[in-house]
Amino acid sequence: MATRNLHRFANPARFMRLAGAALPWCAGATAVLFAAGLYLAILASPPDYQQGETVRIMYVHVPAAWMALFVYVSIAAASLAAIVWRHPLAELYAKAASPIGAIFTLLALVTGSLWGQPMWGTWWVWDARLTSVLVLFFLYLGHIALMDAFDDTARGARAAAILALVGVVNVPVIKFSVDWWHTLHQPASVLRLDGPAIHPSMLAPLLVMAAAFTSFGALVVILRLETEIARRRARRLAAEGAGG
Amino acid sequence: MTGPLALFRRDLRLALRHGSDALAVVAFFAFSAVLFAFAIGPEQLGGVAAGAAWVIALLSVLLSLDRLFQADYEDGSLDQLALAPAPLAAFVVAKLAAHWLATAIPLLFAVPAIALLLRLDHDALGALLVSLALGTPTLVILGAIGAALTLGARRGSVLQALLVLPLEVPVLVFGAGAAFGDPETIETAVTVLGAMLMAALAVGPAAISAALRAALS
């Protein structure tokens, strides 16, 4: 039953219709959420009593890091669907989402570095959290490069799907690195069993920014998927034209 | 299980007859140590020797895996192995075992000489050998995943390195951690190295055979 539902969305034509309908909503939500999130994060939220104004970097850094992981997990899930059920859209999704995840990872690394310089006194430390996120970035780069390394696109997609699944071992390492090792990076303060350890005046802008990042990610993924489907259709039509 | 065993014997025999291949890897290993010695200078060399030995061992293993499946892929043996009644993963294990015996064992024999070149402390040699003996099989498995994924790719070897090096970071961290021989952490590091080998043995052959099937289809 679940597989049948999965396959209802495998038809690219149906997906294009749905995506076309969802796209303006996504774009609107992204604009509204970013406007609200940036206002809350930059103007309406208080400076931290220790970190001062630099705490505002957190409102970009944390959502970017969440998205970096979320996009990777979604690519791995899509890769599983692509390998097990030969789901055609899952394969396209992995191709469309991978560069976006890489950019989010880079954003998390760069903003973290900008925050680390005034707070820790250094741009970079080799602790487990930073290292495992750097590994994630290189996994993304490898995934992108592997997908593009073959003349046969199907072969590249299969190889990249296997790589994405192998790379899943890195995900728990990133999540729990702050608990397993004594890292300089602080442990989780939002997703905790005993409730968030962050003041509501800072939690609200953080969550709005996270929602803004998510809807921005969805927007770009849909755009890239539409482009890829259109490109493949154009290539097929050109091949048919040349053959006929 | 006669098929995988026969493949194991064939690969080992091939490696022994083309002994120069394994020798080239050892030569690369040794000469990289020379490069490290020149670049770092004799004073600080002893302090970084264990880490340097691990880095060049890792790169040597990676280089040796470059064309692991290439010959079988080109002459069609790989198609036959995929069609054989025994699971492809069993053939993969046989191939990797033969490769580890033919390339990593000579590397381990070269380690004492490398340790001398790098001015490694004599007492630390044992820890380095143990960590490399436990770590190189994991490196072979991870490298083979990269070799299988990039089979038939343009610029395969650079891509293989890009795919495999991030995955090998934890092995290097704990391997070098064990090799530096800090008595407080060595037990943990060796245990984690063993655990990573077990995990790689459990997941690696399945991933490699899936990648090989993707290359054949």
Side-chain angles (χ1 to χ4, degrees):
Chain A
M1 190 62 203
T3 20
R4 194 177 303 154
N5 277 334
L6 209 64
H7 278 279
R8 277 185 48 215
F9 298 104
N11 180 341
R14 180 180 285 133
F15 170 80
M16 288 288 260
R17 274 203 306 281
L18 272 175
L23 202 58
W25 291 97
C26 252
T30 306
V32 171
L33 284 168
F34 260 118
L38 286 175
Y39 168 74
L40 286 173
I42 295 174
L43 298 171
S45 71
D48 188 76
Y49 82 104
Q50 273 183 329
Q51 304 175 18
E53 301 291 344
T54 47
V55 72
R56 301 187 198 285
I57 295 175
M58 187 249 319
Y59 300 122
V60 176
H61 173 73
V62 174
W66 280 344
M67 287 302 288
L69 269 187
F70 172 71
V71 171
Y72 191 86
V73 172
S74 74
I75 288 175
S79 300
L80 190 68
I83 290 177
V84 177
W85 295 293
R86 298 288 169 94
H87 194 290
L89 260 186
E91 214 172 87
L92 289 177
Y93 172 80
K95 187 180 167 88
S98 196
I100 301 167
I103 294 295
F104 278 128
T105 314
L106 188 65
L107 191 61
L109 286 168
V110 169
T111 52
S113 179
L114 289 174
W115 180 88
Q117 168 56 22
M119 286 301 116
W120 294 342
T122 172
W123 298 104
W124 183 261
V125 288
W126 286 107
D127 85 4
R129 172 57 71 83
L130 276 71
T131 310
S132 52
V133 174
L134 189 65
V135 166
L136 179 70
F137 181 59
F138 279 100
L139 275 175
Y140 271 125
L141 292 188
H143 188 253
I144 297 167
L146 186 59
M147 207 143 27
D148 203 38
F150 298 90
D151 295 326
D152 174 12
T153 45
R155 162 89 177 97
R158 294 284 297 285
I162 295 165
L163 178 73
L165 286 177
V166 170
V168 166
V169 292
N170 189 34
V171 171
V173 175
I174 294 179
K175 171 74 183 112
F176 296 110
S177 55
V178 285
D179 305 323
W180 290 345
W181 292 283
H182 296 289
T183 54
L184 201 51
H185 194 285
Q186 52 269 59
S189 47
V190 176
L191 289 170
R192 286 169 29 143
L193 286 178
D194 50 354
I198 175 171
H199 193 268
S201 66
M202 290 180 176
L203 186 60
L206 179 60
L207 292 181
V208 175
M209 283 300 275
F213 270 63
T214 312
S215 87
F216 175 72
L219 175 69
V220 184
V221 166
I222 292 175
L223 275 175
R224 284 181 53 87
L225 270 172
E226 284 190 339
T227 315
E228 184 63 27
I229 291 174
R231 183 188 294 146
R232 291 201 180 184
R233 188 168 294 162
R235 203 180 297 147
R236 195 167 58 241
L237 287 176
E240 276 171 15
Chain B
M1 291 311 269
T2 52
L5 209 61
L7 181 71
F8 174 75
R9 287 213 200 93
R10 183 199 75 151
D11 269 26
L12 213 52
R13 198 171 299 138
L14 278 176
L16 289 177
R17 290 200 182 145
H18 301 279
S20 55
D21 293 2
L23 203 67
V25 175
V26 174
F28 173 81
F29 185 50
F31 207 82
S32 310
V34 175
L35 294 184
F36 256 98
F38 280 131
I40 292 172
E43 283 82 28
Q44 292 111 323
L45 199 55
V48 299
W54 249 92
V55 170
I56 58 181
L58 186 150
L59 293 177
S60 309
V61 171
L62 186 62
L63 265 184
S64 77
L65 287 163
D66 186 20
R67 298 175 66 76
L68 180 64
F69 299 108
Q70 196 69 37
D72 288 349
Y73 177 62
E74 279 165 4
D75 70 7
S77 329
L78 207 56
D79 291 281
Q80 301 301 320
L81 294 179
L83 291 172
L88 185 55
F91 287 110
V92 167
V93 172
K95 223 173 156 44
L96 295 187
H99 184 84
W100 183 76
L101 282 176
T103 53
I105 296 291
L107 278 189
L108 289 179
F109 276 106
V111 165
I114 302 289
L116 218 61
L117 287 177
L118 290 174
R119 298 184 167 222
L120 184 80
D121 204 21
H122 291 305
D123 306 328
L125 183 60
L128 178 61
L129 275 171
V130 168
S131 67
L132 280 176
L134 258 178
T136 43
T138 319
L139 296 180
V140 167
I141 295 170
L142 293 176
I145 295 178
L149 284 175
T150 55
L151 207 51
R154 301 186 297 264
R155 297 183 309 276
S157 48
V158 179
L159 187 58
Q160 186 200 356
L162 174 64
L163 301 184
V164 168
L165 288 177
L167 296 174
E168 288 185 343
V169 166
V171 186
L172 178 76
V173 167
F174 288 99
F180 274 112
D182 184 1
E184 278 180 26
T185 55
I186 187 165
E187 199 185 324
T188 319
V190 169
T191 316
V192 173
L193 270 185
M196 284 196 287
L197 174 56
M198 292 300 119
L201 269 177
V203 180
I208 295 166
S209 46
L212 290 178
R213 283 191 197 283
L216 293 174
S217 63

